């Protein structure tokens, strides 16, 4: 099957003012994302994540290597017919309302008339902004801006969605809404390529992950494989009595090759606790 | 490999979308408030005879000429300022706000984006000048009728022959809202179009709105001396350095002196044969040239 994204030996250098040597932002990066996959690119600030995404969108030109989207050279305008992009901290036009914003981007993609209006309504519902659709973006919160940004990325029903830090600066509730939207895209078979600093969220939504550091891809593969600790096994029990736990301990200690490393109550995350006590509590 | 729809440059629909969006953006930035100020001054001048202030000797056709003169002057000021400032502001603002990323990440050729942005500024200037032109024509028509009535009454009482009265009447009407005057407003628009395209060209390689604005005004100022630079290049007895400087200015800067035909039209003159088509052609040439250079720079630009 044709990959949604194919980046081969991508190199990108910048020449900052006052510096003789060029700065290599992306150094021989290769990756491939299958259709329908959710791929997360993670790395510290300045590691080359955004530059890789911009090269894929034709916003910067590679010094060498190539980027292809569903087999089309990403420097060609036509390749963007199948791509939706949400940049990091997007501002959009404050003078437009949410619905007008979606209409503007829809028209740029060739949508017209009833089809466009139907799509605008559908997307506003999808990102839970139907009631705020006629308000100007100047009055939107950060989370609402991210959601309208995601809606504009989806306006032409792209097969690939690129999200650059989609939850940057968004509170945990807004962050979870965006996470749910990514799950929804995955269910619909849309390929998602995202980069984020929120590692827990990447772990939650991504099928495959690439770790980029100083412009180089240092680790890449399916998330389950990358996270599995080869010589350890996890057993989680519910309703286990102290007697049963004692029996298990004794059983493990009777095996010379095995060692019980840790036993105790599993802990939730602070994010899950926060959501449980705020957003989930509000639900009827 | 899948084959998506072809998105060729210069798609009129896509350009129209960006043009209308830019127009809306500028309108919502309250640029049209200037029209309100213009209307108030124009109507105020008619009611309170503001144009007579400091010039108590003004009467008859002088009053009409004065209204034409400062109306065209205000239109020039408005169109030049909007042409430079609005164009200089829009492109860097889109880059700064990263809205440009979301637009260029859609199937939008960069040429269409540039043409659409320039189109939006020009549409705004055109609509503004049209409204100002209509206001000026209305006020001038009222004022001309008053002046004609006064003059005819005075010269009839003085016993002028009918033919001379008619000649005087025609002379006065010639200072009213004529087609040449509308033509002068159109020349103001052409000049603004050249200035706006110049500012767009500068903004494609500049990284600052302030630099674009200052350079835009500077180019407008130097462009008014382009004819002298041309004369220097073709002149005799000038040093190679002067010739080189003259050639440089004559090549880079549009000749804004060509648009000074407006002064003659304000005085009641008319376009000479082929003058307006030549101005349209020259303005078109400059706008296309500036857009072409802008595109060459912008097509390779990285964000």
């Amino acid at each position: 099957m044709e990959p949604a994204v194919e980046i081969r030996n991508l190199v990108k250098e910048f020449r900052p003012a006052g510096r003789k040597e060029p700065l290599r932002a992306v150094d021989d990066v290769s990756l491939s994302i299958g259709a329908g996959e959710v791929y997360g690119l993670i790395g510290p600030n300045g590691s080359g994540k955004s530059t890789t995404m911009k090269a894929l969108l034709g916003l910067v030109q590679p010094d060498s290597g190539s980027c292809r989207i569903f087999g089309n050279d990403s420097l060609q305008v036509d390749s963007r017919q199948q791509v939706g992009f949400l940049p990091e901290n997007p501002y959009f036009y404050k003078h437009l309302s949410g619905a007008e914003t979606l209409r503007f981007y829809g028209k740029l993609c060739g949508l017209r008339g009833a089809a466009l209006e139907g799509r605008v309504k559908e997307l506003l519902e999808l990102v839970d902004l139907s009631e705020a659709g006629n308000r100007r973006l100047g009055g939107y919160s950060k989370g609402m801006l991210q959601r309208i940004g995601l809606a504009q990325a989806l306006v032409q029903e792209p097969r690939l969605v690129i999200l650059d830090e989609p939850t940057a600066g968004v509170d945990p509730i807004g962050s979870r809404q965006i996470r749910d939207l990514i799950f929804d895209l995955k269910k619909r078979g849309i390929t998602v390529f995202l980069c984020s600093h929120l590692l827990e969220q990447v772990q939650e939504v991504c099928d495959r992950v690439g770790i980029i550091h100083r412009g180089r891809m240092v680790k890449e593969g399916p998330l389950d494989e990358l996270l599995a600790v080869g010589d350890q096994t996890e057993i989680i029990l519910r309703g286990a009595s102290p007697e049963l736990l004692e029996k298990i301990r004794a059983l493990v200690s009777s095996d010379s090759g095995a060692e019980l490393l840790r036993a105790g109550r599993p802990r939730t995350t602070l994010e899950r606790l926060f959501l449980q006590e705020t957003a989930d509590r509000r639900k009827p | 490999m899948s084959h998506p729809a072809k998105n060729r440059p210069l798609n009129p629909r896509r350009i129209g979308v960006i043009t209308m969006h830019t127009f809306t953006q500028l309108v919502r930035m309250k640029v049209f408030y200037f029209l309100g100020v213009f209307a108030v001054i124009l109507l105020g001048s008619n009611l309170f005879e503001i144009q007579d202030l400091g010039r108590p000797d003004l009467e008859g056709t002088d009053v009409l000429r004065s209204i034409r003169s400062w109306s065209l002057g205000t239109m020039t000021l408005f169109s030049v300022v909007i042409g430079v400032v609005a164009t200089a502001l829009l492109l860097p603002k889109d880059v700064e706000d990263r809205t440009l990323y979301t637009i260029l990440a859609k199937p939008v050729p960069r040429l269409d984006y540039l043409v659409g942005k320039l189109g939006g500024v020009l549409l705004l200037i055109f609509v503004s000048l049209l409204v100002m032109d209509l206001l000026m024509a209305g006020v001038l028509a009222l004022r001309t009728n008053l002046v004609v009535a006064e003059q005819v009454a005075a010269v009839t009482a003085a016993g002028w022959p009918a033919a001379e009265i008619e000649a005087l009447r025609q002379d006065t009407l010639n200072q009213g809202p004529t087609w040449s005057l509308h033509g002068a407003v159109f020349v103001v628009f052409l000049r603004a179009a050249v200035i706006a395209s110049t500012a767009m060209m500068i903004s494609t390689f500049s990284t600052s709105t302030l630099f674009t604005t200052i350079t835009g005004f500077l180019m407008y100022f130097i462009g008014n001396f382009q004819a002298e630079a041309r004369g220097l290049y073709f002149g005799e007895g000038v040093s190679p350095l002067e010739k080189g400087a003259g050639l440089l200015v004559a090549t880079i800067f549009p000749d804004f002196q060509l648009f000074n035909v407006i002064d003659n039209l304000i005085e009641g003159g008319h376009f000479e044969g082929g003058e307006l088509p030549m101005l349209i052609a020259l303005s078109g040439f400059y706008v296309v040239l500036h857009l072409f250079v802008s595109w060459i720079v912008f097509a390779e630009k990285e964000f």
Side-chain angles (χ1 to χ4, degrees), chain A residues 1 13 27 29 32 37 65 146 151 158 160 189 191 203 216-217 223 242 270:
Chain A
M1 196 176 181
E13 291 183 340
D27 189 2
V29 165
S32 176
E37 258 185 349
Q146 290 291 105
L160 168 68
T191 312
Q203 187 177 340
R216 293 191 76 91
M217 188 71 88
L223 196 68
L270 189 57

Side-chain angles (χ1 to χ4, degrees), chain A residues 55-100:
Chain A
L56 187 59
L57 288 159
L59 294 172
V60 299
Q61 291 198 345
D63 289 310
S64 67
S66 65
C67 300
R68 303 190 86 80
I69 295 171
F70 293 107
N72 298 295
D73 184 348
S74 67
L75 288 175
Q76 301 300 314
V77 174
D78 290 335
S79 71
R80 277 159 239 155
Q81 190 75 43
Q82 319 211 31
V83 184
F85 175 54
L86 173 66
E88 184 183 357
N89 293 323
Y91 284 86
F92 300 111
Y93 292 110
K94 283 181 187 167
H95 66 277
L96 296 180
S97 68
E100 284 173 335

Side-chain angles (χ1 to χ4, degrees), chain A residues 2 12 54 58-59 61 70-72 78 80-82 87-88 92-93 95 100 105 109 112 152 156, chain B residues 1-2 4-7 13 21 25 28 94 97-99 101-107 110 302-303:
Chain A
E2 186 177 63
K12 181 64 199 171
K54 284 179 183 177
L59 294 172
Q61 291 198 345
F70 293 107
N72 298 295
D78 290 335
R80 277 159 239 155
Q81 190 75 43
Q82 319 211 31
E88 184 183 357
F92 300 111
Y93 292 110
H95 66 277
E100 284 173 335
Y105 285 102
C109 296
R112 295 282 179 280
Q152 69 76 25
Q156 83 273 33
Chain B
M1 182 171 40
S2 58
K6 290 282 174 205
N7 292 282
R13 273 184 144 181
H21 169 262
Q25 185 180 11
R28 291 186 183 176
D94 273 8
D97 290 353
R98 298 177 191 168
T99 38
Y101 296 1
T102 52
I103 293 173
L104 295 184
K106 299 286 180 204
R110 294 187 180 198
E302 298 189 328
F303 301 100

Side-chain angles (χ1 to χ4, degrees), chain A residues 12-16 19-26 46 63:
Chain A
K12 181 64 199 171
E13 291 183 340
F14 293 107
R15 282 164 186 78
R19 194 181 145 138
K20 277 187 181 176
E21 289 298 307
L23 176 73
R24 186 164 279 210
V26 180
D63 289 310

Side-chain angles (χ1 to χ4, degrees), chain A residues 221-233:
Chain A
L223 196 68
D224 291 342
E225 281 178 24
L226 292 179
L227 295 183
V229 181
D231 62 347
Q232 294 184 14
T233 307

Side-chain angles (χ1 to χ4, degrees), chain B residues 72 179-189 261-262 265-266 271:
Chain B
L72 265 297
W179 283 112
S180 292
L181 189 64
H182 296 306
V185 177
F186 186 62
V187 174
V188 170
F189 170 73
V261 62
I262 295 168
L265 299 171
I266 290 171
F271 284 109

